[in-house]
Amino acid sequence: MKRCKLDQSLFGRCIRGFYKIKNTAYSLFEKKRPVNNERNISLSEMTIVVENFIEFRSSNFHISTGQKCARYSTHLHSNRSYITLAQERLVMSYINLYRKKHKNGYLNRAIAIGRYIERSMAPEGIIPFHKPFFYPQDEGVSTYWAIPCFTELFNETSNSDFLRDAIELGEGGRNLLFGDKYGYTHTLGQKIWCPNVSAIAAYAYKSLYEATGNQKYLRWARDGLKFSADKMKKTGLFPYSETRPTLYMSIYQAITMALLMPFLKDSLGSEFNVSDRLRRACAFLKTLIREDGSVMEPEMTCYAYLPSMVATLAVLKYIGEKEYFVRVFNFMKVFFQTKAPFLYISFDKKLYNGSMIDFHDVIMTEVLYWLTTIVDNNGV
């Protein structure tokens, strides 16, 4: 399969330059909204707000076989598919909601979007991110998030098609996205370790083992832990990558923690001392939480970023840090001032979307996923 590298032609560079200038200009002239600290909203209401935003952009259609599919029509997309990671997050979100609310509509929607993801698979058994051609394709992220989507769809429906898809992606990912010296990679052809991707792969292969009982998937999950858990620094920090051994964005600390948590009570968790690592990672995560409940972004020019807030909130609930959970939740309310939640808060306490405006709709699927892991039927 062709290595998905950035288009270095004059045309490709011009297109990237155009988008960079456009988004920079938008961020400079965007009208920022003052924070309303009186805003009171529950987790259940937050989930509904994001659901409604996504519902507005969703589009249903039928493929030639008559099998119903559903897609989330993202602003950025390739000529073959809308961004696949957004579709995958929605599958996981709707399965979460189905299990909590027992409404068949959620499961039906997850199945329909799963069928759309099937159409986006490459013959080699991986899934491109399906951003426009002038972006890197991040096949590792989109492939390894798709595997638990399909195993969970199989668990809920017993439809062997979904298990077949998960197996195909597991095999393809191992063949094309893994190296003995760097683990599982972000993009096809890349040869550096990146803990969050290896953690996603470990989580994916664990789900594939649980669905099939095939021991080789546990071995492959072990390789993911080797290049995620073992890369944690003594401080508890999970570095972003070999070439960027820093935080990068606070969300990656929370994501890596969340993906390692399922290993707490099994043999692989014991082998990699996951319990102790997560204890230290949690201590580091707390250092990022300010007294007002905002989560610091040391390498970003903003006061707080919504995805980091909500991913951190999910981790805090899982580990039972009630005091920190309440603090972060109370601050997170300020992002929900309108029908479309904002992405950032500036240091002068203004809400805005900034240069990520083109990805706003994709990021909202991530927000929904973390919200649906937290919220229950009582909105708690």
Side-chain angles (χ1 to χ4, degrees), residues 149-168:
C149 288
F150 286 132
T151 56
E152 295 296 348
L153 284 170
F154 170 71
N155 291 337
E156 293 299 336
T157 66
S158 299
N159 188 323
S160 60
D161 288 352
F162 292 126
L163 183 58
R164 176 206 63 207
D165 295 331
I167 292 171
E168 183 178 342

Side-chain angles (χ1 to χ4, degrees), residues 286-306:
K286 288 180 184 178
T287 69
L288 300 174
I289 301 172
R290 301 183 182 95
E291 285 297 318
D292 64 3
S294 60
V295 177
M296 286 187 284
E297 296 289 349
E299 297 186 47
M300 297 176 68
T301 57
C302 67
Y303 188 73
Y305 178 54
L306 176 57

